[in-house]
Amino acid sequence: MQPFHELLLLLVVLTNFWVLGTTRLSATIRATAIQGALLAGLPLALYPGFSLHILALSTGTLVVKALVIPYFLTRAIREAAVRREIEPLIGFTPSMLLGAAAVALAFSIAPRLQLPGVRSDMLVPVALATVVIGLIVLTTRSKAVTQVVGYLILENGIYVFGLSQVERVPFLVELGVLLDIFVGVFVMGIVVFHINREFDSLDSARLTELRD
Amino acid sequence: MSLSAWLSLLVVMAVAPALPGIANRTKSALTGRRGAPVLQLYADLAKLWRKGVVYSLTTTAIFRIAPVVVAATTLLAASLLPLDGRSALLAFPGDLVAFAGLLGLGRFFLVLAALDTGSSFEGMGASREVTVATFAEPALFLCFTVLVLATGELRLAGMLGQPLALAWPAAAPSLVLAAASLFIVTLAETCRVPVDDPLTHLELTMIHEVMVLDHSGPDLALILYAGALKMALFGSVLVSVIIPRADLAPAAALAALIAGLAGVAVAIGAVESVMARVRMNRVPQLLVAASALAGFGLILQLR
Amino acid sequence: MLLPLLILLPAAAAALAWFGRWPRNPEATLLATAALHTAGVALVWSGGGAPAFGGWLAVDAMGQMVLTVVSLLFLASASYAWGALRGDGASRRRLFTTSLLGFLAAATLVTLAHHLALVWIGMEATTLALAPLVYYRHDRRSLEAVWKYLVLSSVGIGLALLGTFFLAAAQTQGRPLLLEDLVQNAGSMQTGLLRAAYVFLLVGYGTKMGLAPLHAWKPDTYGEAPSLVGGLMAGALTSCAFLGLARGTEVMAAAGQAAFVRPPLLAFGIASLVVSAAFVIGQSDLKRLLAYSSVEHMGILVLALGIGGAGSYGAMLHLVNNGLTKGLMFLAVGNVVLFYGTSEAAAIRGVLRRSPLTGALLIAGLFAVTGSPPFGLFVSEFTILGAAIRGQMVWLAVVMVVLLAMIFLGMAKMVLGAALGDGDLRQPRERERPYLVGGPFALAALSLMLGVYIPGPLQALLATAARALGGSAP
């Protein structure tokens, strides 16, 4: 049977497509939570042996990415009346096709990068694809909370890439990165909440007052 | 042209009408009702066969031959599949295209018949049906491509038979993705929720039902039977991808197929009971998602 | 012990300001911490900063200079805040102080960190620390500004993290991501990965710096944040972001990739100058004007890095001068906003008559910020232009001069229009308390001094930093 980590990476890509295709805001947040849980399992699958470093990283990722951040985002939109995303800048179907193209491109570029010592040959393509899909979601969606979800997916992609360098990047650093991301989303969630309060909508297309 | 292949075809032909019954019964059970009997479609077919037929004055010969063409093409397509797990009645390299083409031919004639009636109601249903098919075909072909790459075979009998069983361990992720995509395609081709609701009678929401509105008597019986057989065919493809039956004895393989078909019907019924039909403009997105799934499986095969 | 203390002191003070009931006015904590921090930095100048945590924290020439700029600017801002915050509510003053102190701790971390991932953590922390301050006014416009700021900065920082990871992957020898080891073993690093890493770092830290075309968040953010915060962002935050980029450039220079980094750096620099010139002319808001001026100076910094040679020396000098002058200008504009209630240039007339000290600061700041003699920025820009000419890039020098002249004209029109004239003769003279003008005057004096005379120790430091970047002293 296939190695477990390949299955996890496969599911990560599927959650990306889920976010690209769904219209419901709560579904996007749930997809991020599931992605966080998958990412928490990745270090354990890639580096079997249960060292303290890996266990702490997994637990931290699980708590932050799969529990705290989604809970917090859900609370941030609890007052929102409209829970559905409107047609994005490039349409849902083109988004999904673009995401598929990004995955194909990532898989074709990754072998040429020749990164040393990577445990799985699916890590780097999935990482790059996730980063690109995160950017797609961030730039084409108009609801503020979906943009935060796009940012989270971007960071998840970078995290997967970082997993290929786990021996090089010590635990303290990963902890700091995780903490930073958490605080970042915390602050963003507060702003999203305020946006909803102020504009009675999560639509960031309303934020057009400042211009030259 | 082995005996087991013939026998399997006849068995599947006989069992096919039970599948929509199983799906509907599952849906009723899951929503707390008693529902129609599982063998209801048999009774319907028998009733329709005995009835007379009514032809509208606006229709031509196309309307009369369409049901026959539909049934014949579906049967021919059935003969391309390795229903006993290892061999098919007809096999030649590239017959996967013939499979899709035959089913497409049947659909084409149904659409012609719908347009032949001169009713805008049926024309609308026909155009919607063709739109759905336009998006479902690429997904189907992407799934087939995954199978071709995994097994190296160009005949359906090979793609779904012994070589597939050998290819499973190495290509598992791609095959799982292809299976998921195939399930969505099955839902689209057999006109079930979330693509099309077989129970709706509202003009705004009908797709397949409205196309066959004008047919009656034995014609309608042929069309209904062809629909059930199509469900059986797609179900068989799905079952063959998920459960490699090539190593089993023919009888056991057939039994596994029947059980698998029943399972697929139950799954369709379960999906119908938990989901609502998606909005008309979201149906292409759903099918593009199915294509993306199969495409991703393809990428995994290529690396 | 000194280096960790420099980081921990503001962090502890931030916690004290947020959780502690004493002292009653948090500005005292702010000012005291700023003073102690500057004293600590003075100790570093006299040779006190030993590396800590196995080399993760250390002082080198570039870091020391950015640290000094940050500390001085913070001290001036803290003295300004001493009085300027008095009118606000207690919880808002607490938030203000806590965020500012958190920013100081994070910025110190960026300057002192020699582990590149630690640099990243500090940068992200500075972004987050300032976010509540951008939203200080709690109105629609500042909400929009803070949203754009957060989203764009976060994406940029994320890409910088990816670049950092690429750098770790490219490294084949030595302790991973430690600056000394990176520079020492730069020759053995994988070229392809190294270049990819630099591109990501340039885009990522460039977004934080506010280089065009990644500058979209700057005018909105600087325009809506309180002027004090704007000054810190323009002077200190951009310097820290530049430091992140400079670290990457250091590694590239050591790896012999100077030819590779030149085109993108020059491209970003020229783009920033062009965008700045285009938007400065016809600008209607003083703070947004300063934002575009910041884009201009970031462009000059990056151009100087790309030119190399004496350009690297000029870049470091420019960094110092830019920090001081931006602080001066923003604080002066802060006074204007305080007196006039708006930063729209059309509504502001006769600042010189109504508040002479602020008017003087405004005019002096105008000349300082646009790089006119006798202020410090003139010297650094002159050095950079000279390096361009000597480096066979006369066309670049000409383009720079033309664009700088355009920017000067645009800014002068707006600022002089606001400062000169009679304005509303019914309004009386404003009371310009010491805390409102003390800090800015100190910054102006420093900038003036640097335009005339660069002290020996500073010159030595600048030369060391220039050499590390692959350049030389003029």
Side-chain angles (χ1 to χ4, degrees):
Chain A
M1 255 339 269
Q2 294 298 307
F4 189 54
H5 57 81
E6 296 216 349
L7 179 68
L8 286 177
L9 288 169
L10 193 86
L11 289 173
V12 166
V13 178
L14 288 184
T15 49
N16 286 336
F17 280 121
W18 185 13
V19 171
L20 276 176
T22 185
T23 53
R24 293 179 304 146
L25 296 180
S26 48
T28 58
I29 300 177
R30 206 170 306 141
T32 328
I34 293 179
Q35 206 174 61
L38 292 169
L39 257 44
L42 257 183
L44 292 170
L46 280 171
Y47 300 97
F50 293 112
S51 73
L52 188 63
H53 179 174
I54 298 289
L55 267 178
L57 181 64
S58 271
T59 323
T61 311
L62 185 72
V63 167
V64 172
K65 288 194 194 244
L67 296 174
V68 175
I69 287 182
Y71 167 73
F72 188 68
L73 281 179
T74 316
R75 280 198 43 151
I77 64 168
R78 71 184 177 281
E79 286 192 9
V82 179
R83 297 296 196 98
R84 290 203 170 241
E85 175 77 52
I86 59 178
E87 190 77 9
L89 213 60
I90 60 173
F92 282 107
T93 311
S95 299
M96 184 146 338
L97 291 174
L98 207 61
V103 173
L105 202 67
F107 269 91
S108 64
I109 289 182
R112 290 202 223 141
L113 278 177
Q114 289 168 348
L115 283 155
V118 179
R119 286 296 184 103
S120 158
D121 59 351
M122 260 181 81
L123 258 184
V124 177
V126 171
L128 291 177
T130 312
V131 167
V132 173
I133 289 179
L135 276 173
I136 292 174
V137 174
L138 186 68
T139 48
T140 59
R141 299 301 164 95
S142 60
K143 294 281 179 186
V145 75
T146 322
Q147 290 174 347
V148 178
V149 166
Y151 167 69
L152 278 173
I153 296 178
L154 175 76
E155 290 290 338
N156 282 349
I158 298 176
Y159 170 90
V160 174
F161 188 83
L163 277 183
S164 66
Q165 307 295 322
V166 143
E167 293 108 14
R168 311 277 187 91
V169 181
F171 171 60
L172 214 57
V173 165
E174 283 154 1
L175 186 67
V177 170
L178 215 56
L179 188 69
D180 272 335
I181 295 173
F182 163 65
V183 177
V185 177
F186 183 77
V187 176
M188 281 192 207
I190 294 181
V191 176
V192 165
F193 181 71
H194 278 264
I195 289 178
N196 187 42
R197 274 268 180 86
E198 183 71 34
F199 293 91
D200 217 3
S201 139
L202 287 172
D203 199 345
S204 70
R206 301 263 190 107
L207 300 172
T208 50
E209 213 180 307
L210 299 173
R211 59 177 71 235
D212 274 315
Chain B
M1 298 254 181
S2 62
L3 182 64
S4 64
W6 269 111
L7 212 59
S8 316
L9 181 60
L10 287 173
V11 169
V12 169
M13 279 174 64
V15 166
L19 295 180
I22 299 179
N24 291 334
R25 194 62 190 256
T26 317
K27 178 176 168 189
S28 307
L30 284 175
T31 48
R33 299 172 305 191
R34 241 185 99 171
V38 171
L39 305 177
Q40 178 63 40
L41 191 55
Y42 291 103
D44 284 342
L45 289 175
K47 174 190 77 173
L48 284 169
W49 200 260
R50 283 195 304 267
K51 281 191 166 183
V53 72
V54 176
Y55 290 121
S56 160
L57 288 172
T58 54
T59 59
T60 66
I62 299 263
F63 192 78
R64 287 156 182 72
I65 67 169
V68 179
V69 171
V70 171
T73 53
T74 318
L75 270 172
L76 267 177
S79 64
L80 286 171
L81 289 177
L83 295 167
D84 68 344
R86 54 180 62 87
S87 61
L89 282 175
L90 294 172
F92 49 90
D95 60 4
L96 52 108
V97 180
F99 179 77
L102 280 168
L103 292 176
L105 188 65
R107 181 174 25 243
F108 177 61
F109 267 88
L110 260 186
V111 166
L112 275 185
L115 293 173
D116 198 27
T117 61
S119 152
S120 57
F121 202 18
E122 305 208 356
M124 170 202 79
S127 81
R128 286 178 186 169
E129 169 93 8
V130 171
T131 312
V132 171
T134 314
F135 285 97
E137 293 283 304
L140 181 66
F141 272 107
L142 279 173
C143 294
F144 279 156
T145 315
V146 171
L147 289 173
V148 166
L149 283 178
T151 58
E153 288 268 343
L154 279 177
R155 304 174 305 150
L156 274 172
M159 274 159 51
L160 299 173
Q162 175 75 342
L164 185 61
L166 292 171
W168 245 97
S174 311
L175 292 174
V176 167
L177 285 171
S181 181
L182 266 175
F183 185 68
I184 301 178
V185 170
T186 308
L187 289 174
E189 292 273 358
T190 53
C191 309
R192 312 292 293 198
V193 172
V195 176
D196 176 18
D197 191 351
L199 289 181
T200 181
H201 301 288
L202 302 171
E203 174 180 341
L204 273 175
T205 58
M206 286 203 272
I207 301 182
H208 182 84
E209 298 301 314
V210 70
M211 233 176 33
V212 300
L213 214 52
D214 262 18
H215 296 272
S216 50
D219 287 349
L220 187 56
L222 278 176
I223 291 179
L224 285 179
Y225 179 72
L229 192 57
K230 206 195 231 187
M231 185 187 281
L233 291 186
F234 275 97
S236 318
V237 175
L238 192 55
V239 169
S240 305
V241 171
I242 298 179
I243 312 173
R245 297 171 293 135
D247 302 321
L248 301 170
L254 191 57
L257 178 63
I258 306 292
L261 282 176
V264 169
V266 167
I268 293 180
V271 167
E272 278 209 350
S273 63
V274 299
M275 284 184 76
R277 215 203 72 165
V278 300
R279 271 169 44 198
M280 201 76 73
N281 62 347
R282 295 273 290 163
V283 171
Q285 289 168 22
L286 178 66
L287 291 168
V288 166
S291 303
L293 277 179
F296 185 41
L298 186 64
I299 292 173
L300 285 180
Q301 270 305 111
L302 283 175
R303 73 182 169 99
Chain C
M1 231 14 246
L2 178 61
L3 298 183
L5 257 177
L6 275 176
I7 303 172
L8 288 173
L9 174 68
L16 177 68
W18 184 250
F19 293 113
R21 214 65 74 88
W22 166 94
R24 205 83 75 73
N25 53 340
E27 298 88 36
T29 321
L30 190 63
L31 194 54
T33 315
L36 281 172
H37 192 264
T38 313
V41 172
L43 272 176
V44 170
W45 271 87
S46 62
F53 299 130
W56 280 35
L57 292 179
V59 177
D60 69 341
M62 271 194 275
Q64 191 169 335
M65 274 192 297
V66 179
L67 180 64
T68 316
V69 169
V70 168
S71 193
L72 285 175
L73 197 53
F74 197 85
L75 186 58
S77 306
S79 71
Y80 187 90
W82 170 259
L85 277 182
R86 289 284 174 78
D88 289 337
S91 67
R92 283 165 67 92
R93 282 154 71 189
R94 240 184 27 207
L95 175 68
F96 202 89
T97 312
T98 312
S99 298
L100 277 185
L101 287 170
F103 169 73
L104 182 63
T108 314
L109 178 62
V110 173
T111 56
L112 293 178
H114 273 220
H115 190 284
L116 289 190
L118 215 54
V119 172
W120 183 87
I121 293 179
M123 273 312 301
E124 168 93 357
T126 60
T127 308
L128 298 173
L130 287 178
L133 293 176
V134 175
Y135 187 44
Y136 195 63
R137 280 204 327 257
H138 276 273
D139 62 358
R140 243 174 215 216
R141 292 169 61 101
S142 50
L143 185 60
E144 183 182 337
V146 78
W147 179 249
K148 287 185 190 168
Y149 168 71
L150 272 178
V151 171
L152 284 171
S153 296
S154 301
V155 173
I157 285 278
L159 291 176
L161 182 63
L162 193 59
T164 313
F165 281 146
F166 264 92
L167 206 56
Q171 199 179 357
T172 52
Q173 297 171 14
R175 293 165 296 170
L177 285 182
L178 263 173
L179 188 64
E180 279 79 23
D181 288 21
L182 276 170
V183 168
Q184 206 173 26
N185 302 311
S188 65
M189 290 173 80
Q190 274 181 275
T191 324
L193 289 174
L194 188 59
R195 291 182 175 185
Y198 190 75
V199 170
F200 278 119
L201 284 176
L202 179 56
V203 171
Y205 285 127
T207 313
K208 280 306 299 177
M209 278 168 73
L211 290 172
L214 309 161
H215 68 290
W217 57 275
K218 239 190 185 177
D220 299 335
T221 309
Y222 287 20
E224 298 307 314
S227 307
L228 191 124
V229 178
L232 275 174
M233 288 179 93
L237 183 59
T238 49
S239 305
C240 291
F242 178 74
L243 187 61
L245 182 63
R247 297 283 189 222
T249 317
E250 225 182 300
V251 176
M252 291 297 271
Q257 295 287 322
F260 172 77
V261 305
R262 175 167 297 169
L265 284 174
L266 289 184
F268 272 107
I270 296 178
S272 304
L273 278 178
V274 169
V275 163
S276 175
F279 281 94
V280 153
I281 301 173
Q283 187 57 243
S284 62
D285 185 301
L286 272 178
K287 291 204 278 194
R288 290 177 79 94
L289 180 77
L290 289 179
Y292 283 109
S293 168
S294 178
V295 173
E296 166 209 348
H297 286 292
M298 290 303 113
I300 296 176
L301 274 179
V302 165
L303 270 176
L305 261 191
I307 292 172
S312 309
Y313 182 92
M316 296 314 298
L317 185 59
H318 197 87
L319 182 94
V320 175
N321 283 309
N322 177 57
L324 297 174
T325 47
K326 278 292 184 309
L328 157 67
M329 211 35 188
F330 266 98
L331 291 179
V333 170
N335 286 347
V336 171
V337 171
L338 191 63
F339 300 148
Y340 287 78
T342 173
S343 56
E344 294 272 327
I348 304 172
R349 287 281 176 270
V351 178
L352 198 55
R353 182 200 69 80
R354 186 161 154 184
S355 46
L357 291 175
T358 306
L361 281 173
L362 211 58
I363 297 180
L366 166 69
F367 284 105
V369 149
T370 51
S372 320
F375 288 97
L377 276 178
F378 175 73
V379 178
S380 52
E381 282 173 10
F382 195 75
T383 315
I384 297 169
L385 286 170
I389 296 177
R390 253 175 284 132
Q392 319 299 329
M393 286 184 271
V394 183
W395 61 272
L396 185 62
V398 171
V399 166
M400 273 180 76
V401 169
V402 169
L403 289 170
L404 286 174
M406 284 172 71
I407 295 171
F408 173 76
L409 284 173
M411 286 191 73
K413 173 169 179 281
M414 214 178 143
V415 174
L416 288 178
L420 302 175
D422 282 330
D424 191 348
L425 287 166
R426 292 167 298 177
Q427 293 282 2
R429 280 262 184 96
E430 296 280 350
R431 278 188 70 186
E432 293 172 292
R433 313 197 101 119
Y435 63 79
L436 283 181
V437 295
F441 264 113
L443 291 173
L446 272 173
S447 179
L448 197 56
M449 178 195 83
L450 283 176
V452 177
Y453 161 73
I454 303 176
L458 182 59
Q459 261 189 10
L461 217 57
L462 287 169
T464 317
R467 272 193 298 275
L469 286 170
S472 54

